[in-house]
Amino acid sequence: MVRLHFALRRVSVVLPRGRGGGARDDRVRARLRRWRRSRSRGKSLARLARTGFRARVATPSTPLDAARAATRRRAARRRRRGDAERAIRRRRRRARDVRDVPIARPPKGKKPAPAPAGVKPAAAAKSPSDPLFEKKAKTFGIGQSLPPRQPLNRYVKWPKYVRIQRARRVLQKRLKVPPAINQFNNTLDKNLATSLFKILMKYRPEDDAQKKERLTAQAAAEAAGKEVESKKPVVVKYGINHITYLVEQGKAQLVCIAHDVDPIELVIWLPALCRQMNVPYCIVKGKARLGTVVHKKTATALALTAIKNEDKMEFSKLVEAIKGSYNDRFEASNRKWGGGIMGVKSQAKTKKKQRIIDAELRAREKV
């Protein structure tokens, strides 16, 4: 039995009973090869049927035959892909050869004929360059250099909380912000903030481990019959209610307020209270940064009520700078509105309209 396999079907030509062997099988195989090469396969099959053979079209009957057919299909696809790549390379070589064709120089006094379409004049020979830093142009084609990476940030689907906080940030820029809220955008500069937090870290309150150690030592001393001295520590005060009480009593020497408290109503009245009680205050970036000073996640405000003698000089300079930036400029900041910053496209449209208006005014003045 002679079989012929194709990409989509299998044709089996079966010899009739009582016939076969020898030169006749060779003739059948040769006829099958011609039939495969020919375009009119239906006529060739009919011709084969007239010679006394029967042809049938069947699907693969076993998994092995199906796997072989799939392998042949993949090989055919690879061959077609390779043919396409070779054709592309052939066209590129032809275009390169056309570009490299030297242009004949006409004799002097005659105008040269225009170059045919698609042919570019040969570039002038460049002077020899340093081979260590020779420029090599990249070709971004099939099988060539990889294209440069493009930033995909615009195509990322960000989490919902990221989209919400970005939309809130844009909205806060677009809308007009009242002065009482806008004053929280005026934060302490970097140098003063660094000096301030350096002092605050010296007066951190004790954490749980330190408190446990202190109480254990105190209990051991009392059990031994020793007299224990209890001295009030000089530490940073926190808690919005406690700080409000200290400001009202005039005990606070400096108040630090976070700029990103949410809701802002918790601290929106505190700058006015500090100015009324003549207490220095400042607005710093980060409720989380204030929280690290007092071993908490966040803190809305901190206050200092006492300073050690070795830090009084540095603290007094810091308070003078803070007073000049906040307490003395309270009236000016209380009249300044914020927001109203439009996007790039809106600003471009506004500028375009303004240019048209200016041009009309100039034209009227000339008339």
Side-chain angles (χ1 to χ4, degrees):
M1 183 172 63
V2 182
R3 293 181 178 178
L4 191 63
H5 297 276
F6 295 95
L8 298 179
R9 60 182 181 176
R10 187 184 70 197
V11 177
S12 301
V13 177
V14 185
L15 293 173
R17 291 183 179 179
R19 299 183 185 182
R24 190 166 181 81
D25 284 351
D26 296 338
R27 287 198 300 273
V28 169
R29 292 189 182 93
R31 196 169 295 166
L32 283 172
R33 284 195 296 272
R34 287 197 302 274
W35 173 79
R36 183 173 59 181
R37 289 195 297 268
S38 65
R39 294 183 179 179
S40 56
R41 296 181 180 178
K43 296 180 181 178
S44 300
L45 279 174
R47 194 177 301 116
L48 284 172
R50 284 199 300 273
T51 57
F53 301 98
R54 65 182 186 275
R56 67 174 183 268
V57 179
T59 57
S61 57
T62 62
L64 181 60
D65 293 338
R68 287 173 178 170
T71 304
R72 282 191 295 275
R73 288 195 295 272
R74 286 195 295 271
R77 283 197 297 269
R78 283 197 296 270
R79 281 196 300 273
R80 288 195 296 272
R81 195 181 301 118
D83 294 342
E85 292 178 0
R86 281 193 293 273
I88 291 171
R89 287 197 291 269
R90 199 180 303 120
R91 286 197 295 270
R92 287 177 179 169
R93 281 198 300 271
R94 288 174 185 169
R96 193 164 54 246
D97 295 342
V98 169
R99 286 197 302 269
D100 295 340
V101 171
I103 299 175
R105 298 295 177 185
K108 292 183 178 180
K110 292 186 179 181
K111 187 178 180 180
V119 178
K120 296 182 179 179
K126 296 182 179 179
S127 59
S129 59
D130 190 354
L132 293 176
F133 305 100
E134 187 176 357
K135 184 180 179 181
K136 295 181 181 179
K138 290 186 177 182
T139 305
F140 305 109
I142 298 175
Q144 303 296 327
S145 301
L146 294 174
R149 288 189 175 184
Q150 298 292 335
L152 303 177
N153 297 347
R154 293 185 60 208
Y155 308 101
V156 175
K157 186 175 182 181
W158 296 97
K160 192 171 184 180
Y161 78 94
V162 174
R163 283 178 275 154
I164 288 174
Q165 67 187 13
R166 288 180 178 177
R168 185 190 294 123
R169 184 69 178 271
V170 172
L171 195 62
Q172 287 173 353
K173 288 182 179 180
R174 302 290 184 267
L175 299 178
K176 289 188 176 180
V177 182
I181 299 176
N182 186 53
Q183 65 178 338
F184 287 91
N185 293 326
N186 179 27
T187 56
L188 204 63
D189 63 80
K190 187 176 180 181
N191 295 329
L192 285 178
T194 304
S195 303
L196 173 64
F197 278 95
K198 192 181 295 183
I199 292 177
L200 291 177
M201 294 302 282
K202 291 182 180 180
Y203 296 92
R204 296 180 76 183
E206 60 183 6
D207 57 1
D208 294 339
Q210 294 171 349
K211 183 178 180 181
K212 183 178 179 181
E213 183 180 354
R214 177 176 60 83
L215 293 177
T216 303
Q218 183 178 351
E222 289 179 355
K226 297 180 181 179
E227 187 176 348
V228 180
E229 295 182 2
S230 60
K231 190 176 180 180
K232 186 177 181 181
V234 180
V235 293
V236 176
K237 308 296 181 181
Y238 63 97
I240 191 65
N241 291 332
H242 186 37
I243 289 175
T244 305
Y245 173 77
L246 293 175
V247 172
E248 289 174 347
Q249 296 296 320
K251 296 180 180 179
Q253 297 185 15
L254 178 64
V255 177
C256 305
I257 310 169
H259 85 295
D260 56 348
V261 179
D262 190 19
I264 196 66
E265 289 84 358
L266 292 175
V267 293
I268 197 173
W269 45 268
L270 192 54
L273 178 64
C274 291
R275 181 181 178 276
Q276 183 180 358
M277 302 303 297
N278 198 21
V279 174
Y281 75 95
C282 63
I283 297 171
V284 297
K285 280 190 177 180
K287 57 185 179 182
R289 195 177 180 188
L290 291 180
T292 56
V293 177
V294 292
H295 309 290
K296 302 289 182 184
K297 286 184 178 179
T298 58
T300 55
L302 302 180
L304 281 170
T305 56
I307 293 293
K308 296 177 182 178
N309 291 330
E310 60 266 20
D311 297 327
K312 281 187 177 180
M313 182 66 69
E314 184 181 358
F315 182 72
S316 61
K317 292 180 181 179
L318 183 63
V319 168
E320 288 298 325
I322 288 173
K323 269 190 173 183
S325 299
Y326 290 93
N327 292 65
D328 299 342
R329 298 181 58 188
F330 180 80
E331 292 295 337
S333 63
N334 207 26
R335 288 193 297 266
K336 185 178 179 181
W337 284 66
I341 303 173
M342 305 308 294
V344 178
K345 294 181 180 179
S346 298
Q347 290 181 8
K349 288 181 181 179
T350 305
K351 289 179 181 178
K352 186 177 180 181
K353 290 179 182 178
Q354 189 62 37
R355 284 196 297 267
I356 294 172
I357 293 171
D358 295 341
E360 290 181 356
L361 291 175
R362 286 194 299 270
R364 290 179 183 176
E365 288 175 359
K366 289 181 181 179
V367 174

